[in-house]
Structures are given as structure tokens and as C-alpha cells.
Amino acid sequence: MSVGEIAGLIAAGALVLLVVLVAVPLLKLGRTLDETTLTIRQVREQSAPILSQASTTVTHVNSNLERVDDITGNAANVSSNVAALTSVVAATLGSPLIKVAAFSYGVRSATRKKREGQALADAAARDKEARRARRAARRAA
């Protein structure tokens, strides 16, 4: 055996060793890809029912939102009717109530002034009688 043949055998052995060392990670990578493929298949199989349930849920939510929209519209109609009724009541009863309040204020003011005037007239009459009594007392004395 010559040196070239020995070198060729050493190179061939190194190449075989390199192939074995590279083959181990490649086999592990192949198993990892198989597991990934299996996991993706399972996820796809499980996601179909979830998506159908989500679709059903969205359909129910949409129908309930339509009902809520109807309820909101009815509430808006009721509030506008109440506002109109309030305006009618205010227009119908407001003016007469204001007139009654003004009249009662006028009556109270007139009564108070009459009492004050009567009190002043009574005081003036007492003063007049007191002056007459003093004059009569002076004349008699």
C-alpha cells in the first residue's frame, strides 16, 4: 500500500464519519418536520369547529344587536313623545298658573298695603285724639 492509498483511505473514512455526523441532525430534523406536520393537521382539524361556533356566535350577536337597535329606536320615540307632552302641558297649564300666581301676589300686596294703611290711619286717629285731649286738658286748666 502506498502513501496515496493510505491517504485515500483516511480521506474516505473521514468522509464516512462526516456523513454519519451530518446524518444524525438531518434525521432529527426530519422527525421534527413530521411532528410539525402532525401538529398543523391537528390544529386545522380542531380550528374548524371553533370557527363554526364563532360564526354562530356572531350571527346570534347580530340578531340581538338588531333587537337592541329596535329597542333604542322605541326609546327615542318615547322620549320625543314625552318631550312633546311636556311642552303641551307647559303651554296649557303654564300660562294660567303664571296668571294665578301673579293675581295671588297682587292680592297679598294689596292686603298688606291695606293693613299698613289701616294701621297708619289708626295711629293718626290716636294721635289726633291725644292732641285734642291735651288741648282740652290745657283749656280746662
Side-chain angles (χ1 to χ4, degrees):
M1 248 196 193
S2 71
V3 176
E5 291 175 349
I6 294 175
L9 284 174
I10 292 174
L15 186 61
V16 168
L17 183 63
L18 180 66
V19 168
V20 169
L21 289 175
V22 169
V24 171
L26 284 176
L27 290 174
K28 287 184 180 181
L29 181 62
R31 278 185 265 160
T32 304
L33 287 176
D34 290 341
E35 289 294 322
T36 304
T37 304
L38 182 63
T39 304
I40 289 172
R41 186 176 302 131
Q42 289 174 350
V43 167
R44 187 180 62 217
E45 290 171 358
Q46 292 174 357
S47 65
I50 292 172
L51 290 176
S52 68
Q53 288 175 355
S55 175
T56 304
T57 302
V58 168
T59 303
H60 287 298
V61 167
N62 283 338
S63 66
N64 286 336
L65 283 177
E66 289 174 3
R67 280 191 251 154
V68 168
D69 189 37
D70 291 341
I71 291 169
T72 305
N74 291 337
N77 285 340
V78 167
S79 67
S80 66
N81 290 342
V82 168
L85 182 62
T86 303
S87 299
V88 168
V89 168
T92 304
L93 297 178
S95 179
L97 287 177
I98 291 172
K99 289 177 183 177
V100 167
F103 178 74
S104 67
Y105 176 75
V107 168
R108 282 186 311 211
S109 297
T111 304
R112 183 174 22 90
K113 286 182 182 178
K114 184 176 179 185
R115 282 188 203 139
E116 289 173 358
Q118 186 65 37
L120 288 175
D122 290 344
R126 281 193 304 267
D127 286 345
K128 189 175 184 180
E129 286 182 31
R131 279 187 298 217
R132 282 185 186 166
R134 281 185 292 208
R135 283 185 199 154
R138 277 190 236 150
R139 285 185 195 156

